[in-house]
Amino acid sequence: MAAQTNLNSMPPQDEATTPTNWRELVIENLIRLAGISAVLIITMIFLFLLREGFPAFVEVPLSDLFSSRWYPIEDKFGLLPLLAGSLIVTVGAVVIAVPLGLTTAIYLGEIAPPWQREILKPFIEVLAGIPSIVLGFFGWVALAPLIQSMGAPSGLTAFTGSLILAYMALPTIISITEDALYAVPKEYRDGALAIGATQWQTIWRVVLPAARSGIVIAVMLGIGRAIGETMAVMLVTGNAANIPDLGFGALFQPVRTMTATIAAEMGEVAQGSLHYSVLFGIGIVLFIITFAINSLATYFVGGGKRRRGGQI
Amino acid sequence: MTRQQSQQLAIWVITAVSAIVVIPILIVILYMLYNGISTISWEFISQPPRNGMTEGGIFPALLGTIFLTLGTAVAAIPLGVGAAIYLAEYAGDNRLTRAIRLAIVNLAGIPSIVYGLFGLGMFVLFLNYGTSILAGSLTLGLMTLPVIISTAEEAILSVPQEFRIVSLSLGATRWQTIRNQVLPHALPGIITGVILGLGRAAGETAPILFTVAAFYLPNLPKSIFDQSMALPYHLYVIATQVPGMPLGIQYGTALILLFIVLSLTLVATLIRSTMRRRREW
């Protein structure tokens, strides 16, 4: 990209002589406003979540929020089962998606011949484009029965959710990892190959370590993507608000995530009720978690190194 | 194991794992195609649901999704392209710019259901638009912003600096330069970003749950202040909320939704690759 130098670095023009001066001024200010709007919007999102959700943190005692019973009809708003549900599904998704995503990125970036890359990259974009409700529907009608037939008591489990979520997080992980691999200077590879390393040794000992900060970011954003997914997990995780028994078996129990709880219950609550506030409170928790993950990832990118805005 | 053997093994494993990523995508698409294609007919697309939604078509939901996508475009394009112009052409290397970039990254990362909550709090209740196409379009528009901003900014940045320098040296103002030189050359890239963003918005369910979507409406919406059915929500409803729903209609609905979203994605990708081939610089 040659055009990175900013026009601000050029001397200001004598604009007083142009007849379109006032029009120009209006347009430039509108553009500036559009730029700043991103900051305004995210601030407003947080303020509106607070406005509706704040009562939850005042009126529900903290000990209740951290209890293990989510039973809104009896005003029991223990968030632990929902946190546990989100955590299990997300961890499962990450465990599946990270090895798959990194490997695919390595294949795309280092091994695949150009013609395969031309086909595969749009293909990964197609995956990113499949609506979550369609993947959820697929999980519901095809995957869950399959998992059940393999011996689980029910096909609607945390594992089913993890599997679907993993594929939803894959495009993010793949594309960011690939960017990171691409950013490793060619000299590193040439040097390693020149002293007799095989291609695999070069990838494993030189390229991957050099790209590790980008890979960490890829994993973080993949986590952020997985934790916020709603419709797919709502359809396939069974929606049971219990704290699952810990251990490996937890993956094969029905769980309910924070996102699915909001989606499933918001339609039925009275506006302004405590239950309504608590659902917004869960929204605040989700906002803070994803904000922390994304800000941290941006911080890691850091320095003067510019990357693509919205997708890092 | 010798170095050569480990090399062979590694390449083999990497290729196999990549196949594990790619093949299920194909399976999902082919599965919907195989099961849904027999339901698709002109009647299915052009008729409203009948008999408690167990018969008939999906026309109101399809129309709702088209309205919502157009509304999203109106809401998101000016703001998104404006922000991209600002970042690419005006923003200096300062605190404000860093804050804007941080905000955009985070807008991209906020879960879609949280956008739904925000839309409910701000557009439906605070601004009193009610559950309406307007509230839904604005919510989806905000969610689409980061995609549009980042692709449009990239397109604007890829216009060579020489174009700007020549234009400015001929006496054009900065805005004239952007309008007459930069934007026309960046246009295909901007369009790509817009279509990608709209494709994603068209398939979203969570942001429209509380802002626009109706379970079933006997009449089509008459204005932007009316509720509407929408395809993704309709799929959710008939898959989980309607007992005795024939599977064929569910598959057909999923297939149409998949077709709309994927063809938008495909068009965007095609524009981008044609543009790369035709580029004169």
Side-chain angles (χ1 to χ4, degrees), chain A residues 8 24 167 196 200 234 308, chain B residues 3 7 20 90 154 173 236:
Chain A
N8 275 340
E24 193 118 328
Y167 274 83
W200 168 242
M234 185 162 155
R308 273 181 282 153
Chain B
R3 293 174 339 117
Q7 155 80 8
I20 296 179
Y90 289 93
E154 209 170 320
T173 62
Y236 168 66

Side-chain angles (χ1 to χ4, degrees), chain A residues 230-286:
Chain A
T230 309
M231 298 316 289
V233 290
M234 185 162 155
L235 263 89
V236 301
T237 58
N239 285 333
N242 308 311
I243 294 189
D245 304 327
L246 293 176
F248 185 71
L251 268 180
F252 294 95
Q253 293 174 350
V255 295
R256 169 175 238 183
T257 64
M258 294 187 280
T259 51
T261 305
I262 301 175
E265 294 179 9
M266 186 53 95
E268 289 149 22
V269 301
Q271 185 215 326
S273 67
L274 193 56
H275 189 184
Y276 170 91
S277 297
V278 173
L279 292 179
F280 268 92
I282 298 173
I284 296 175
V285 174
L286 280 169

